[in-house]
Amino acid sequence: MMSKLSTRKLAGVLIASALVLSTSIALSASADAAGKQGTACTTLKAKSGTYTCIANPLKTTPKNIWATKNCIDAQATYAADVANLATYKKNATDSVNKSQSTLASYQNALTVAQTSLDYLTNKKVYTITVFPHTKTPDQTATGLSAAVAAHQAKIVEDQARISFYQAALAKDVAGSKQAQSDQLSIASFTGSIQSRQGTIELLNRQVARIQSSITSYQTSITNWTSTVSGAIAQQKVLSAQLTSEITSAKTTSALACKTGL
């Protein structure tokens, strides 16, 4: 008799335990079942009917909520717009910085070229004639114009010397030492003229090259100044547009995620 009672009691205990366990499981399951959007959930990305468990986009309690597809999509659009603005600002800033750096390099090159031109034109001391093995100081000229004029004056003098020796040569006995000396003098002054003409051409080419560089740098500066100004203006416009889109997307997301609350 005692054995039967014990068996009945044991069966009752087991049944009661089963009921408690099933109730506990049911309560646990119902706690994570969606009632409406905005109610708490525990497992992110879990699904219940048309709802999905997500982190609360409204940044309020509860921390995780059940949300509809509209809420999730609207929040994704908002997050994408925020990311797009950040990426655009970085790329646009990098682009503007590079353009400004290029502009600065042209401005620096222009300054260097203008300084060089000023030096050659107004300040450089050019050697015109050297008097080796004597105490006579070298003949010099300061500035390009003065140097060119000095060389041209020397060319005129050398041409006169050539004319003098050519007249003397005409009177010399052919093949005589005097004739040979006069011919050497003519060749020497002819070489001097060619050398001075080459020097003048070189000086003019140097200046012309620098002047051409200055013109090129000035054109580049004008173009890059326009590029930088345009890039900055465009950056402001597009940033404002993207910011406006973010504001709109945030409002849409808030409305979509509040639906049903």
Side-chain angles (χ1 to χ4, degrees), residues 202-257:
L202 177 62
L203 294 177
N204 287 331
R205 282 200 302 270
Q206 287 178 334
V207 171
R209 184 170 60 251
I210 294 174
Q211 289 173 330
S212 177
S213 296
I214 287 174
T215 299
S216 176
Y217 294 147
Q218 288 172 330
T219 299
S220 296
I221 287 171
T222 298
N223 293 337
W224 279 101
T225 297
S226 177
T227 298
V228 170
S229 298
I232 291 174
Q234 184 182 45
Q235 183 180 17
K236 290 181 180 178
V237 171
L238 291 180
S239 292
Q241 290 178 350
L242 291 173
T243 300
S244 177
E245 290 178 5
I246 287 175
T247 301
S248 177
K250 185 176 183 179
T251 300
T252 300
S253 175
L255 291 174
C257 294

Side-chain angles (χ1 to χ4, degrees), residues 78-144:
Y78 167 68
D81 287 347
V82 171
N84 287 339
L85 177 60
T87 300
Y88 170 74
K89 282 187 174 181
K90 181 181 182 305
N91 292 338
T93 299
D94 289 345
S95 178
V96 169
N97 288 342
K98 289 179 181 178
S99 296
Q100 289 176 326
S101 178
T102 301
L103 174 59
S105 69
Y106 279 117
Q107 290 171 330
N108 181 66
L110 176 62
T111 298
V112 171
Q114 289 173 329
T115 301
S116 179
L117 179 62
D118 177 63
Y119 172 71
L120 292 177
T121 304
N122 303 310
K123 301 173 182 177
K124 183 175 180 179
V125 177
Y126 297 88
T127 300
I128 306 302
T129 303
V130 177
F131 301 98
H133 312 301
T134 70
K135 294 183 179 181
T136 303
D138 295 342
Q139 180 187 0
T140 61
T142 302
L144 179 68

Side-chain angles (χ1 to χ4, degrees), residues 188-204:
S188 175
F189 285 111
T190 299
S192 177
I193 289 174
Q194 291 174 343
S195 176
R196 292 186 186 280
Q197 288 174 332
T199 298
I200 291 173
E201 290 176 0
L202 177 62
L203 294 177
N204 287 331

Side-chain angles (χ1 to χ4, degrees), residues 37 54-59 65 67-83 245-246 248-258:
Q37 180 164 259
I54 65 171
N56 191 343
L58 303 180
K59 306 300 181 184
I65 63 168
T68 62
K69 185 176 185 302
N70 286 343
C71 170
I72 296 170
D73 290 346
Q75 181 62 16
T77 298
Y78 167 68
D81 287 347
V82 171
E245 290 178 5
I246 287 175
S248 177
K250 185 176 183 179
T251 300
T252 300
S253 175
L255 291 174
C257 294
K258 286 180 180 178

